[in-house]
Amino acid sequence: MAKGGGARAVAVAPHAAAAQAAARVLKDGGGAIEAMVAAAAVIAVVYPHMTGLGGDGFWLIREPGREPYGIDAGGTVGALATPDLYRARGHQTMPTRGALAANTVAGTLAGWELALAQRPRPTLALERLLEDAITYADRGFPVSDTQAASTAGRLAELRGQPGFREHFLVPDGSAPARGAIWRQPALAATLRGLARRGLRDFYEGEVGALIAADLAAVESPVTGGDLRAFRARLVTPLRMAHSLGTLYNLPPPTQGVLSLMILGILDRLNLDRRPREGADMIHLALEATKRAFLVRDRHKGRFLEAGADVGEWLTPSRLDDETRAIDPVRATPWRALEGPADTVWLGVVDRHGCAVSFIQSLYHEFGSGVVLPGTGICWQNRGTSLSLAGAADRIAPGGRPFHTLNPALAVLADGRVLAYGAMGGDGQPQTQAALFTRVAVYGDDPRQAVAAPRWLLGRTWGDASDDVKIEARFPDTVFRELEGRGHVVSRLAPFDEIVGHAGLVMRDATGAVSGGADPRSDGTVVFVD
């Protein structure tokens, strides 16, 4: 379903249990922020390969009468993480799994805490918001297709990581089967403790003490002092004028500016005059993506500076220049630099018109693979994107890694408010461009926009090749025309998970809501009167 009839609130998540948890909070009188915390907690339990309490999160929130604001809950590098430490342990490059990959603070709980502090009308207690997550962790949930496949596909590199076998494999050491009921009792106890003592307990209280002890036991570079010192930050979103309204995304260390640049370039290319699923539209989207990614690759240091001023890249003159650099009939040679990532995007609009675009991640599937026995928390490996020998991206205590995460939001001139996003590393800004274009330019409803066939340049979740990947639902003529323009194209399955899990929620000027969940995921849309 795309439209909610008389509904005044809507929630979308890539797992149905998370969307349903958000809807129950909305029905109980909670607002969008409270509903999002409930959904984020549930998906941290039922989608453990994608996200968890041991990861990072980013928020983009728009409340009526207030300028949109963001929350950066990306963790900092641990106090013991230096190049010398890694070299002393025999590493010449950053490891992607294990204790030394668990090298940044998990920021997402601090983000929940800060978001709840912004509530215009606090309604529900934290115990209520974590109730569904506790139930799923305690009583169990059916293993999803993607959890079963991700576990099996990464078994060789995950099986030997501290705590992983005990928490995410069956007794014989194999991956769980799809549909098997999976319980996480240690995580349930952690969530109960947080519900009673507050989210800050994750960093400074009993839960924090357990985390610090378990990290020390596996010789992670993250210390108890790192946990106690960490705070999420309120940030001013980037904003870009578009012919249809104003678009928002988050500043560095996210790649939000790239998402805006792509849409700013496409706004200048008159997509409304081109067939919606034709080779022209896809070619221009790919070339706009390349222009934005070249900025990232040339200015990588800027993306590692929290709050760095990148507004110059969104000025009309700069976007005009980038647009003029595009050849309308020939592809620019391309080589992507970023690796795969695992992420979930969730969206909520409440009956008061508050819209939340939220994203949460462990980075790779199951992050570092390290699961802390005292809490049942799987720790992220976001810091693996840093280096041991680089200049701008050299790992150092207190540093911040680059984030592909970037939740998006748009306020259109016709009164519609869109919150949208996707998982998938480099695929995120490309999918955001596809979603926005289909809804705002071509007039699709959210369900159509999210389900429509997609394309992808470069690397993304579950895949490391740099070609152009296109779902097979596009006509054969599109493949031939793109190859004729110089693109290296590969054909994907009709609804291929490689292009990521996307979602979109929308509220129009009358207060009516609509939404779209990705058929490539286990998600759904839930409407609330």
Side-chain angles (χ1 to χ4, degrees), residues 352-482:
H352 303 288
C354 179
V356 176
S357 183
F358 171 75
I359 202 159
Q360 186 171 270
S361 176
L362 290 172
Y363 198 32
H364 294 176
E365 296 110 317
F366 293 104
S368 66
V370 174
V371 186
L372 308 181
T375 57
I377 294 171
C378 185
W379 210 259
Q380 67 181 352
N381 66 337
R382 176 60 59 175
T384 196
S385 63
L386 297 170
S387 75
L388 301 184
D393 63 349
R394 188 178 184 182
I395 193 166
R400 297 166 64 87
F402 169 68
H403 276 273
T404 53
L405 311 182
N406 64 114
L409 193 144
V411 180
L412 303 186
D414 62 11
R416 287 181 291 170
V417 176
L418 283 63
Y420 55 102
M423 61 169 265
D426 278 356
Q428 288 186 41
Q430 300 180 64
T431 298
Q432 287 183 15
L435 296 180
F436 178 87
T437 299
R438 281 173 164 145
V439 171
V441 177
Y442 291 127
D444 286 358
D445 67 37
R447 181 196 59 79
Q448 293 172 317
V450 174
R454 293 208 292 269
W455 61 90
L456 174 71
L457 170 68
R459 305 178 182 189
T460 185
W461 177 74
D463 189 274
S465 62
D466 293 336
D467 57 2
V468 177
K469 305 164 187 65
I470 302 180
E471 288 186 314
R473 286 178 291 151
F474 283 103
D476 288 342
T477 54
V478 168
F479 289 85
R480 290 195 297 270
E481 288 181 33
L482 289 173

Side-chain angles (χ1 to χ4, degrees), residues 17 20-22 24 38 42 127-137:
Q20 291 159 358
R24 282 192 282 271
V42 166
E127 291 91 337
R128 170 63 189 85
L129 304 183
L130 301 185
E131 185 178 281
D132 286 0
I134 293 169
T135 298
Y136 283 114

Side-chain angles (χ1 to χ4, degrees), residues 285-328:
L286 291 169
E287 295 306 296
T289 299
K290 292 174 186 177
R291 298 307 308 171
F293 283 2
L294 284 170
V295 169
R296 177 196 65 193
D297 298 342
R298 291 168 180 164
H299 302 278
K300 192 167 186 178
R302 297 277 287 280
F303 288 91
L304 296 170
E305 301 172 22
D309 183 6
V310 294
E312 66 190 83
W313 298 334
L314 300 176
T315 61
S317 60
R318 178 60 180 268
L319 293 172
D320 289 344
D321 289 343
E322 297 293 350
T323 304
R324 281 192 289 269
I326 290 175
D327 187 326

Side-chain angles (χ1 to χ4, degrees), residues 93 158 182 190-191 200 214 243 254 399 403 452 470 515:
T93 58
L158 290 171
W182 205 256
T190 296
L191 289 164
R200 195 67 213 161
D214 284 345
S243 63
T254 83
H403 276 273
I470 302 180

Side-chain angles (χ1 to χ4, degrees), residues 246-306:
T246 305
L247 279 54
Y248 298 87
N249 216 300
L250 292 190
T254 83
Q255 64 176 345
V257 67
L258 306 182
S259 296
L260 294 178
M261 285 187 71
I262 293 169
L263 285 170
I265 294 168
L266 292 177
D267 193 30
R268 288 158 168 75
L269 290 169
N270 302 314
L271 290 187
D272 58 331
R273 302 177 190 172
R274 304 174 190 275
R276 63 197 305 148
E277 307 296 358
D280 270 356
M281 184 267 284
I282 298 174
H283 169 76
L284 294 176
L286 291 169
E287 295 306 296
T289 299
K290 292 174 186 177
R291 298 307 308 171
F293 283 2
L294 284 170
V295 169
R296 177 196 65 193
D297 298 342
R298 291 168 180 164
H299 302 278
K300 192 167 186 178
R302 297 277 287 280
F303 288 91
L304 296 170
E305 301 172 22

